[in-house]
Coordinates of all heavy atoms in Angstrom, one line a residue:
T387 N 29.3 -30.6 47.0 CA 29.6 -30.1 45.6 C 28.4 -29.5 44.9 O 28.6 -28.5 44.2 CB 30.1 -31.3 44.7 OG1 31.2 -32.0 45.4 CG2 30.5 -30.9 43.4
F388 N 27.2 -30.0 45.1 CA 26.0 -29.5 44.4 C 25.2 -28.7 45.3 O 24.0 -28.4 45.0 CB 25.2 -30.7 43.8 CG 26.0 -31.6 42.9 CD1 26.4 -32.8 43.3 CD2 26.3 -31.1 41.6 CE1 27.2 -33.6 42.5 CE2 27.0 -32.0 40.8 CZ 27.4 -33.2 41.2
A389 N 25.7 -28.2 46.4 CA 24.9 -27.5 47.4 C 24.3 -26.2 46.8 O 23.2 -25.9 47.0 CB 25.7 -27.2 48.6
D390 N 25.1 -25.5 46.0 CA 24.7 -24.2 45.4 C 23.5 -24.4 44.5 O 22.5 -23.7 44.4 CB 25.8 -23.5 44.7 CG 26.9 -23.0 45.6 OD1 26.5 -22.8 46.9 OD2 28.0 -22.7 45.2
N391 N 23.6 -25.5 43.6 CA 22.6 -25.8 42.7 C 21.3 -26.2 43.4 O 20.2 -25.7 43.1 CB 22.9 -27.0 41.8 CG 23.9 -26.7 40.8 OD1 24.5 -25.6 40.8 ND2 24.2 -27.6 39.9
V392 N 21.4 -27.0 44.5 CA 20.2 -27.4 45.2 C 19.5 -26.3 46.0 O 18.3 -26.1 46.0 CB 20.6 -28.6 46.1 CG1 19.4 -29.0 47.0 CG2 21.1 -29.8 45.4
K393 N 20.4 -25.4 46.5 CA 19.9 -24.2 47.2 C 19.2 -23.3 46.2 O 18.2 -22.7 46.5 CB 21.0 -23.5 48.0 CG 20.5 -22.4 48.8 CD 21.6 -21.8 49.7 CE 21.0 -20.7 50.6 NZ 22.0 -20.2 51.6
W394 N 19.8 -23.1 45.0 CA 19.2 -22.2 44.0 C 17.8 -22.6 43.7 O 16.9 -21.8 43.5 CB 20.1 -22.2 42.8 CG 19.6 -21.3 41.7 CD1 19.9 -20.0 41.5 CD2 18.7 -21.7 40.6 NE1 19.3 -19.5 40.4 CE2 18.5 -20.5 39.8 CE3 18.0 -22.9 40.3 CZ2 17.7 -20.5 38.7 CZ3 17.2 -22.8 39.2 CH2 17.0 -21.7 38.4
I395 N 17.6 -23.9 43.6 CA 16.2 -24.4 43.3 C 15.2 -23.9 44.3 O 14.1 -23.4 43.9 CB 16.2 -25.9 43.2 CG1 17.1 -26.4 42.0 CG2 14.8 -26.5 43.1 CD1 17.3 -27.9 42.0
A396 N 15.5 -24.1 45.6 CA 14.6 -23.7 46.6 C 14.4 -22.2 46.7 O 13.3 -21.7 46.8 CB 15.1 -24.2 48.0
C397 N 15.5 -21.5 46.6 CA 15.4 -20.0 46.8 C 14.7 -19.3 45.6 O 14.2 -18.2 45.8 CB 16.9 -19.4 46.9 SG 17.7 -19.9 48.5
N398 N 14.7 -19.9 44.5 CA 14.0 -19.3 43.3 C 12.6 -19.8 43.2 O 11.9 -19.5 42.2 CB 14.8 -19.6 42.1 CG 16.0 -18.7 41.9 OD1 15.9 -17.5 41.5 ND2 17.1 -19.2 42.4
N399 N 12.1 -20.6 44.2 CA 10.7 -21.1 44.1 C 10.1 -21.0 45.5 O 9.3 -21.8 45.9 CB 10.7 -22.5 43.6 CG 11.1 -22.6 42.2 OD1 10.2 -22.4 41.3 ND2 12.3 -22.9 41.9
K400 N 10.4 -19.9 46.2 CA 9.8 -19.6 47.5 C 9.8 -20.8 48.5 O 8.9 -21.0 49.3 CB 8.4 -19.1 47.3 CG 8.3 -17.8 46.6 CD 6.9 -17.4 46.3 CE 6.1 -17.0 47.5 NZ 4.8 -16.4 47.2
G401 N 10.9 -21.6 48.4 CA 11.0 -22.8 49.3 C 12.1 -22.6 50.3 O 12.4 -21.5 50.8
Y402 N 12.7 -23.7 50.6 CA 13.8 -23.7 51.7 C 14.7 -24.8 51.4 O 14.3 -25.9 51.0 CB 13.1 -23.8 53.1 CG 14.0 -23.3 54.2 CD1 14.0 -22.0 54.6 CD2 14.9 -24.2 54.9 CE1 14.8 -21.6 55.6 CE2 15.6 -23.7 55.9 CZ 15.6 -22.4 56.3 OH 16.4 -22.0 57.3
Y403 N 16.0 -24.5 51.6 CA 17.0 -25.6 51.4 C 17.6 -26.0 52.7 O 17.9 -25.2 53.6 CB 18.1 -25.0 50.5 CG 19.5 -25.6 50.7 CD1 19.8 -26.9 50.0 CD2 20.5 -25.0 51.5 CE1 21.0 -27.5 50.2 CE2 21.7 -25.6 51.6 CZ 22.0 -26.8 51.0 OH 23.2 -27.4 51.2
T404 N 17.8 -27.3 52.8 CA 18.5 -27.8 54.0 C 19.5 -28.9 53.6 O 19.3 -29.6 52.6 CB 17.5 -28.4 55.1 OG1 16.8 -29.5 54.5 CG2 16.6 -27.4 55.6
H405 N 20.5 -29.0 54.4 CA 21.5 -30.1 54.1 C 21.4 -31.1 55.3 O 21.6 -30.8 56.5 CB 22.9 -29.4 54.1 CG 24.0 -30.4 54.0 ND1 25.3 -30.2 54.5 CD2 24.1 -31.6 53.3 CE1 26.0 -31.3 54.2 NE2 25.3 -32.1 53.5
I406 N 21.2 -32.4 54.9 CA 21.0 -33.4 55.9 C 22.1 -34.4 55.7 O 22.2 -35.2 54.7 CB 19.7 -34.1 55.7 CG1 18.5 -33.1 55.8 CG2 19.5 -35.2 56.8 CD1 17.1 -33.7 55.6
S407 N 23.0 -34.5 56.7 CA 24.2 -35.3 56.6 C 24.1 -36.6 57.5 O 24.8 -37.5 57.3 CB 25.5 -34.6 56.9 OG 25.4 -34.0 58.2
T408 N 23.2 -36.5 58.5 CA 23.1 -37.7 59.4 C 21.6 -37.9 59.7 O 20.8 -37.0 59.5 CB 23.8 -37.5 60.8 OG1 23.1 -36.5 61.5 CG2 25.2 -37.1 60.6
L409 N 21.2 -39.0 60.2 CA 19.9 -39.3 60.6 C 19.4 -38.3 61.7 O 18.2 -37.9 61.8 CB 19.7 -40.7 61.1 CG 19.8 -41.8 60.0 CD1 20.0 -43.2 60.6 CD2 18.5 -41.8 59.2
A410 N 20.3 -37.9 62.5 CA 19.9 -37.0 63.6 C 19.5 -35.6 63.1 O 18.8 -34.9 63.8 CB 21.1 -36.8 64.6
D411 N 19.9 -35.3 61.9 CA 19.5 -34.0 61.3 C 18.1 -33.9 60.7 O 17.6 -32.9 60.5 CB 20.5 -33.6 60.1 CG 21.9 -33.5 60.6 OD1 22.2 -33.3 61.7 OD2 22.8 -33.8 59.7

Side-chain angles (χ1 to χ4, degrees):
T387 306
F388 302 104
D390 290 341
N391 286 10
V392 177
K393 186 172 182 179
W394 180 90
I395 295 170
C397 292
N398 283 276
N399 291 279
K400 295 174 69 174
Y402 200 88
Y403 155 80
T404 58
H405 176 211
I406 303 177
S407 56
T408 73
L409 287 164
D411 300 335

